[in-house]
Amino acid sequence: MIGMILFSLLPLLFAFGISFMNWDGFGERTFVGLENYIAQFQDSNFRAALRNTTIYSLIVIPGGIAAALLSALALNKVKGKDFYRMFFFMPVVTSSVSIAVIWMWLLNGDFGLINQVLASVGIDGPNWLTDRRFVLPSIAMLSIWWGLGTNMVIFLAGLQGISRSYYEAAEIDGASAWQKFKNITMPLLSPTTFFVAIMTVIGSFQVFDQAYVMTQGGPGNASYTLVLHIFDEAFTRSSFGTSTSAAMILFVIILIFTLIQFTVSRKWVHYEDNGR
């Protein structure tokens, strides 16, 4: 409780207070009311960051969950799955900067490995990180790959927690593989799916490392994200008031999406222990 109060609650309350002030981080603080919040919605950079983060999240959330679930299903009954689980999890424990630098080389439009592979089959690959059409999907692709290990391990744990007796009963009744997946696996895996969805939504709206290292928000703000905007407001423009107001807006956005997920989950999340 002491740690949570000192390192979470008090900084959050301090940031909330600063969001109503004009402060450069060193001088006196001047109360300005809602001006910082109004300025954010009038700021074209903030609107671009909000749009880009939303598009990025719409790619990463379903793509990341689907990729992790399919990987877990593929590994669930494979021999040597401990080795594959470790192999898939390795990127998670690797430095985000190192991952971003490697993918900058892979996605390089002139000599990147991905374009070289495409060229070998007669496809002229685009400039992934300098073309406005491809930069966000490229960063999203990296994020899906990077987060695959964590979500896959969680799904794999959920799959291994499903009793084999359910499948045996379904096989006796002549259920097909799809019927077993639809009527047994997905309902009993729904609590795990719900947890992964919550964490993926939160993580996708907080994307920063990839965009900062790979593109600096470019080209032309095409990959400029909300957390990158918060960073720029505070440490580039020395405007801590507008920075914290943007952070508070992001906090509210994540809170709203989380509450929606908890509300909707009552209809599709089934817990085996209470018969829901």
Side-chain angles (χ1 to χ4, degrees):
M1 288 298 297
I2 292 174
M4 180 172 289
I5 292 173
L6 289 177
F7 300 108
S8 295
L9 182 59
L10 290 181
L12 179 62
L13 294 176
F14 179 76
F16 181 71
I18 293 298
S19 68
F20 297 100
M21 300 180 184
N22 183 15
W23 186 43
D24 62 1
F26 299 98
E28 295 184 359
R29 306 166 193 165
T30 305
F31 182 77
V32 294
L34 295 175
E35 286 186 12
N36 289 332
Y37 290 91
I38 296 173
Q40 286 305 295
F41 287 105
Q42 293 176 341
D43 187 353
S44 60
N45 288 331
F46 175 81
R47 295 197 300 270
L50 180 59
R51 181 184 65 250
N52 293 336
T53 304
T54 302
I55 296 173
Y56 168 88
S57 299
L58 290 175
I59 300 173
V60 169
I61 294 170
I65 293 174
L69 177 58
L70 292 174
S71 300
L73 289 170
L75 294 180
N76 191 32
K77 297 181 180 180
V78 173
K79 292 182 179 180
K81 60 186 172 186
D82 290 340
F83 168 77
Y84 289 108
R85 183 168 53 189
M86 178 189 70
F87 181 77
F88 277 97
F89 197 78
M90 285 176 61
V92 178
V93 297
T94 306
S95 165
S96 60
V97 175
S98 300
I99 292 291
V101 170
I102 292 172
W103 275 79
M104 285 175 65
W105 171 72
L106 291 173
L107 294 169
N108 186 280
D110 297 323
F111 53 81
L113 180 62
I114 293 178
N115 276 4
Q116 290 184 23
V117 172
L118 292 176
S120 66
V121 294
I123 299 176
D124 187 16
N127 292 314
W128 299 97
L129 298 178
T130 58
D131 191 319
R132 296 178 62 93
R133 298 171 298 172
F134 295 100
V135 63
L136 268 182
S138 299
I139 296 176
M141 179 172 59
L142 157 61
S143 299
I144 291 172
W145 172 83
W146 190 21
L148 177 64
T150 299
N151 293 337
M152 185 207 67
V153 168
I154 295 172
F155 273 126
L156 196 56
L159 289 170
Q160 293 175 352
I162 299 176
S163 174
R164 176 63 189 166
S165 61
Y166 294 109
Y167 296 103
E168 292 174 350
E171 289 169 359
I172 292 174
D173 291 336
S176 64
W178 168 249
Q179 289 173 326
K180 288 187 288 185
F181 174 76
K182 177 183 177 182
N183 299 311
I184 298 176
T185 303
M186 288 308 298
L188 295 181
L189 198 63
S190 58
T192 304
T193 306
F194 175 57
F195 174 77
V196 170
I198 289 286
M199 301 308 295
T200 304
V201 168
I202 294 174
S204 65
F205 275 95
Q206 294 180 336
V207 57
F208 171 74
D209 298 15
Q210 303 92 308
Y212 180 75
V213 175
M214 298 175 71
T215 64
Q216 292 285 309
N221 280 359
S223 61
Y224 194 65
T225 65
L226 280 173
V227 178
L228 186 54
H229 175 71
I230 293 169
F231 176 87
D232 281 345
E233 287 291 312
F235 301 107
T236 302
R237 303 182 182 92
S238 297
S239 180
F240 283 83
T242 55
S243 174
T244 51
S245 65
M248 290 299 104
I249 294 172
L250 176 59
F251 171 77
V252 171
I253 291 173
I254 294 176
L255 178 62
I256 290 173
F257 275 99
T258 303
L259 291 176
I260 291 174
Q261 286 179 287
F262 270 99
T263 302
V264 175
S265 69
R266 299 171 185 170
K267 298 181 179 180
W268 65 274
V269 177
H270 307 279
Y271 296 93
E272 184 181 357
D273 58 347
N274 60 14
R276 290 174 59 187

